[in-house]
Every structure is written in C-alpha cells, then in structure tokens.
C-alpha cells in the first residue's frame, strides 16, 4: 500500500512538471489583473480545474433537483447524488445524520407552473385550496366578502390583522408577500408568523411570485401546504489519506453547504460552493500531500449552520487539533455585476492559515486586485470551526463596498444558473481555493 502511494505521488509530480511546460497554464488567468507567477505545485491544480465540469453538477443540483430543504426528500436526493460522485472518485465517503426541526412548506400552482414557497404553521396544513386571486395590497381596506377567493396581501404592516380578517371574510387561502425596492435585495419565500390560528392555508411567497401574479392579471391558483416532521439531515464527508509516509501531519478540509432555502433552487447559494468542492475533489484526488484531504458538504446550513455545528460538536479534542485549515465556500459564482470583489471572511477578521494561503495563491495567480480581506464576517459554516479554535474562513464573491453587499437574487427563486451564476467567477474560485488548499496540504506539520 505504501509503495502504491509513493508511486501515485511520483506520477502526480511528473504530471505537474508536464503542466508546467504548458503555455496555457502559464497564460494570464481569466479575469486576472496581473500575469501569473506560479509555483510548481500550482500547475497540477490550475491546469486541470474546469468550471464547465463543475457546472455539470450544478445543473443536476439546481435544475434537476431544485430546492434542497434540510431534512426533506429534496435534500436527500442531493445527498445521494453527491455521495455517488465522491464514491466514483474513490473517496471514503461517510454520511453523517442529525435531526432537524419541522418544516412548513407549500406549493402554488398557476397555470402550467408550480412554485415552491413557505407555509405558516398557524394556518391550515396538509390541505389544498383553489380560487381566483384578489390583490388586497397591504390589507388596509378589505371588501365585505372574500368567499371563495385567494387573498394576496403585500407588505402588511406590523400589528395588522389583515391575514386574520381575510380568512374571517371567507378567503380560502391567503398569500403573504414582501416586496422590496433597490438597493435592497429581492425577498424570498418564508413561513409567516401570525398572532392567532386560522382555518385556511397561509403561504409566504417570494417577491418574484408577487410580481408574476400581478403581471398575470385575473388568475386562478391552487395552493397546497404541508407539515414535515421527524426530519433527518445529513453531512456528506469524503476523505483520502496523505500520500507521503511518515508522521501524521493532519488534515485540510474543503467545504460548502448543499441545502437551500424554501422556494430557491440555490444555484449560487450554495450550489456553487458545492460543485467547487466536487471539482476540487476530482482534481486533488491523486496529488501527493503530507496531509489528508477531507471534503465536507453540510446539510441544513440555512437553518442555523446545523450540519457544520453537529460535525464540530462530534470532534474530539485530538480530532479537532488535526485540522490544519477549513476552506468554506459559500456563494462563489454570482454573475451579479457589482460583485467584483472576492472576499476573505474570517469570523474575527484575523488572518489564519486559510486566508493566508488564499491571499498568497491570489498573488501567484495574478488575482491580487480582486481579493479583499480578511475582514470579520460570520453567517456561514466556518463559524463553528472558529469557535473550536480551528483555522477557518469563508470565501465569497460580493460587492466592493463590503461583504454585506450580496447579490439581489440571494435566497430567491431567481437564484438560478441563468440569472445568477458566472462560470468565469466559478473558475477563479476553483483556482484560488484549489491552489491554496493544495499548498497547505503539501506543507509538513
């Protein structure tokens, strides 16, 4: 086994030298501001990562599967796909289960189209209703009779009883929407909170759904709500050992979350980080390293980092100490025009092994002008690792003004490949994280 590992490592080094002679690998990288000055170890990564291959996986996740709600059948379909890809790459794959809270979901059928949305736990669940939509705006003034109608309420003020009143007046269902205007982002689906129970379905629909309903004019819709209980979500973990013999030099992790919010196909958030992880698993699988490589795809991030927290909580102190760095990738391919900055986001804004390696990789590849930070930012799966004193950071394309400048289609049904994914930015992300993670994995100690 040891001789086989050494031979594999030698073959990878030979491949690196061959790629070093390839003028394509030496050319200015796509979107780079400077010419590259690559180290030998960069060539087998930069010369082989392909955004187009990652995009093949993204089409499965965001178009064939669509929304991937933590603990539900949709997330489980994604889990099975990811595990299959990683097993085909000959990784040791582990599925790590954990329980997650109940879900309140809904569908809205309009002609040939079916939209996914949230449902209120205070409304009727497990039922279907059909009726013509009546636009009641904020609900400040309601008609005397809504019998048989589906009420549409938008930007209902805090403290309003409009939802309860619409149900009392005979509405068979109530659609609650929130519409924002620039520079705020568009709103996604949600589960409305009510001050009392009502006997009809209450849906929380996305801004694009409100816009489409209003553009359609008079329309009849069918709504359905469901309550999903007793749910289990999964982390998908894949590992290969170090190839060089000798002492245990630890492990390097490349990670992302594969779930999405209700109603969203999650192409950029975080299908992009997920397929980056898969593509790097393909490229790095045979390269020689002193450290083990571990790829982790988290379930149920959107519910409060549940998957990564579960994983970190299961680590013994010795296991935690082995982790040299966690490269968390969340929203790494948006096509939003102003999102021209690639941010290094550590929880405390400090530099650590992961931010330092990505910044160094950016300088070598010619992307120094695009990379900003590190700056403080939580809100992703690097947080539990930081709390355990493990070097970790999140990496993401956002606006030049700061990491708070997310694309407007974040967490919406419009987070699709066509509307919110740039293969060019995905390629840059692949090269930066790939070069950085591989360099850290080649380092002794």
């Amino acid at each position: 086994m040891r001789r086989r590992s050494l031979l594999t490592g030698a073959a990878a080094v030979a491949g690196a030298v061959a790629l070093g002679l390839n003028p394509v690998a030496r050319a200015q990288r796509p979107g780079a501001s400077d010419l590259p000055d690559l180290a030998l170890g960069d060539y087998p990564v930069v010369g082989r990562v392909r955004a187009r291959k990652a995009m093949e996986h993204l089409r499965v996740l965001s178009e064939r599967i669509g929304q991937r709600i933590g603990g539900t059948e949709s997330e489980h379909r994604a889990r099975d796909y990811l595990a299959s890809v990683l097993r085909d790459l000959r990784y040791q794959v582990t599925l790590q289960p954990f329980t997650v809270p109940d879900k309140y979901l809904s569908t809205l059928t309009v002609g040939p189209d079916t939209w996914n949305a949230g449902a209120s736990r205070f409304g009727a669940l497990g039922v279907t209703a059909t009726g013509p939509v009546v636009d009641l705006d904020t609900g400040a003034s309601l008609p005397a009779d809504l019998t048989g109608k589906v009420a549409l309420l938008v930007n209902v003020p805090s403290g309003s009883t409009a939802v309860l009143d619409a149900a009392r007046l005979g509405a068979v269902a109530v659609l609650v929407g929130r519409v924002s205007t620039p520079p705020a982002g568009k709103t996604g689906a949600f589960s409305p909170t009510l001050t009392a129970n009502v006997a009809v379905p209450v849906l929380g629909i996305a801004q694009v759904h409100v816009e489409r309903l209003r553009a359609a004019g008079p329309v009849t819709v069918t709504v359905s709500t469901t309550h999903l209980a007793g749910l289990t979500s999964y982390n998908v973990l894949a590992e290969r050992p170090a190839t060089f013999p000798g002492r245990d030099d630890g492990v390097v992790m490349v990670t992302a979350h594969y779930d999405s919010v209700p109603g969203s196909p999650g192409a950029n958030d975080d299908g992009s980080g997920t397929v980056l992880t898969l593509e790097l698993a393909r490229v790095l699988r045979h390269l020689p390293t002193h450290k083990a490589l571990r790829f982790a795809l988290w379930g149920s991030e959107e519910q409060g980092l549940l998957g990564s927290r579960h994983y970190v909580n299961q680590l013994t102190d010795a296991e935690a100490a082995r982790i040299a760095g966690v490269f968390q990738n969340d929203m790494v391919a948006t096509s939003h025009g102003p999102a021209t900055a690639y941010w290094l986001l550590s929880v405390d804004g400090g530099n650590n092994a992961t931010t330092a390696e990505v910044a160094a990789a950016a300088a070598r590849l010619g992307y120094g002008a695009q990379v900003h930070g590190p700056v403080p930012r939580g809100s992703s799966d690097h947080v539990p690792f930081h709390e355990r004193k493990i070097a970790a950071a999140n990496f993401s394309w956002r606006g030049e003004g700061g990491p708070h400048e997310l694309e407007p289609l974040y967490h919406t049904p419009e987070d699709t490949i066509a509307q919110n994914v740039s293969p060019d930015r995905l390629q840059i992300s692949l090269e930066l994280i790939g070069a950085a993670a591989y360099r850290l994995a080649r380092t002794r100690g």
Side-chain angles (χ1 to χ4, degrees):
M1 176 66 78
R2 177 173 293 181
R3 184 171 183 271
R4 181 178 180 182
S5 296
L6 289 171
L7 290 173
T8 299
V13 171
V17 173
L19 281 168
L21 301 175
N22 183 351
V24 175
R26 289 180 170 180
Q28 185 158 339
R29 310 310 304 150
S33 53
D34 299 299
L35 287 170
D37 183 16
L38 302 183
L40 178 62
D42 294 327
Y43 287 109
V45 178
V46 172
R48 294 180 62 220
V49 290
R50 297 288 184 270
R52 62 174 177 78
K53 294 188 73 68
M55 292 292 290
E56 294 172 5
H57 298 303
L58 190 54
R59 279 186 279 275
V60 174
L61 292 174
S62 67
E63 296 178 350
R64 190 185 306 171
I65 297 175
Q67 69 168 6
R68 303 175 296 279
I69 311 304
T72 71
E73 185 272 341
S74 62
E75 190 196 51
H76 294 169
R77 288 177 62 201
R79 170 206 65 194
D80 292 343
Y81 176 77
L82 300 172
S84 175
V85 170
L86 291 164
R87 288 189 181 109
D88 286 346
L89 293 173
R90 299 297 185 263
Y91 282 91
Q92 180 65 44
V93 176
T94 303
L95 302 181
Q96 185 182 55
F98 54 96
T99 58
V100 294
D102 295 2
K103 299 294 181 299
Y104 303 89
L105 304 175
S106 66
T107 59
L108 178 65
T109 303
V110 186
D113 300 321
T114 297
W115 305 333
N116 295 302
S120 175
R121 64 187 179 90
F122 300 95
L125 298 166
V127 299
T128 298
T130 300
V133 174
V134 54
D135 188 347
L136 303 175
D137 199 35
T138 63
S141 177
L142 300 180
D145 185 11
L146 288 171
T147 300
K149 303 293 196 304
V150 174
L152 173 62
L153 294 165
V154 181
N155 291 348
V156 176
S158 176
S160 170
T161 61
V163 174
L164 307 181
D165 293 339
R168 177 178 53 81
L169 293 170
V172 296
V174 181
L175 310 179
V176 182
R178 299 181 294 205
V179 172
S180 63
T181 55
K186 298 182 104 174
T187 59
F190 63 104
S191 295
T193 298
L194 306 177
T195 58
N197 293 331
V198 296
V200 301
V202 179
L203 282 63
I205 63 175
Q207 179 166 333
V208 65
H209 298 153
V210 174
E211 294 168 347
R212 290 173 182 172
L213 286 172
R214 286 178 163 173
V219 62
T220 294
V221 302
T222 297
V223 303
S224 178
T225 58
T226 185
H227 171 206
L228 301 176
L231 302 178
T232 300
S233 185
Y234 293 82
N235 294 325
V236 181
L237 310 171
E239 185 161 350
R240 49 134 277 204
T243 58
F244 290 120
R247 69 170 189 251
D248 181 1
D249 279 321
V251 60
V252 170
M253 296 185 66
V254 177
T255 68
H257 74 87
Y258 68 98
D259 64 312
S260 71
V261 298
S264 176
N268 187 45
D269 184 18
D270 187 26
S272 63
T274 298
V275 301
L276 175 148
T277 303
L278 292 180
E279 173 63 0
L280 291 184
R282 181 188 72 84
V283 169
L284 297 176
R285 59 182 166 157
H286 294 315
L287 296 184
T289 63
H290 288 287
K291 295 179 175 66
L293 290 171
R294 184 178 302 155
F295 299 89
L297 297 166
W298 312 118
S300 297
E301 185 268 358
E302 299 290 4
Q303 301 167 60
L305 318 181
L306 298 185
S308 56
R309 286 197 182 281
H310 176 78
Y311 175 82
V312 171
N313 288 342
Q314 299 300 306
L315 295 174
T316 65
D317 289 343
E319 290 169 338
R322 288 190 67 234
I323 302 175
V326 179
F327 297 84
Q328 168 66 21
N329 303 277
D330 200 343
M331 304 167 67
V332 297
T334 180
S335 59
H336 181 51
T340 56
Y342 185 85
W343 287 93
L344 317 180
L345 308 171
S346 60
V347 173
D348 59 3
N351 209 19
N352 62 47
T354 62
T355 55
E357 287 292 359
V358 174
R364 297 194 305 274
L365 273 72
Y367 293 124
Q370 287 89 344
V371 172
H372 298 250
V375 298
R377 183 78 175 185
S379 304
S380 193
D381 290 304
H382 60 308
V383 174
F385 291 93
H386 171 82
E387 293 170 348
R388 195 75 183 268
K389 303 187 184 309
I390 298 170
N394 181 35
F395 303 93
S396 183
W397 286 101
R398 303 183 183 193
E400 294 282 348
H404 61 285
E405 293 186 355
L406 301 171
E407 71 267 23
L409 302 184
Y410 160 73
H411 276 186
T412 74
E414 295 167 286
D415 184 9
T416 63
I417 292 175
Q419 294 175 275
N420 197 32
V421 169
S422 163
D424 290 340
R425 286 181 181 158
L426 178 57
Q427 179 69 27
I428 296 172
S429 299
L430 282 162
E431 294 184 7
L432 289 174
I433 299 299
Y438 184 44
R439 186 181 180 94
L440 185 58
R442 297 195 328 270
T443 304
R444 293 301 304 260

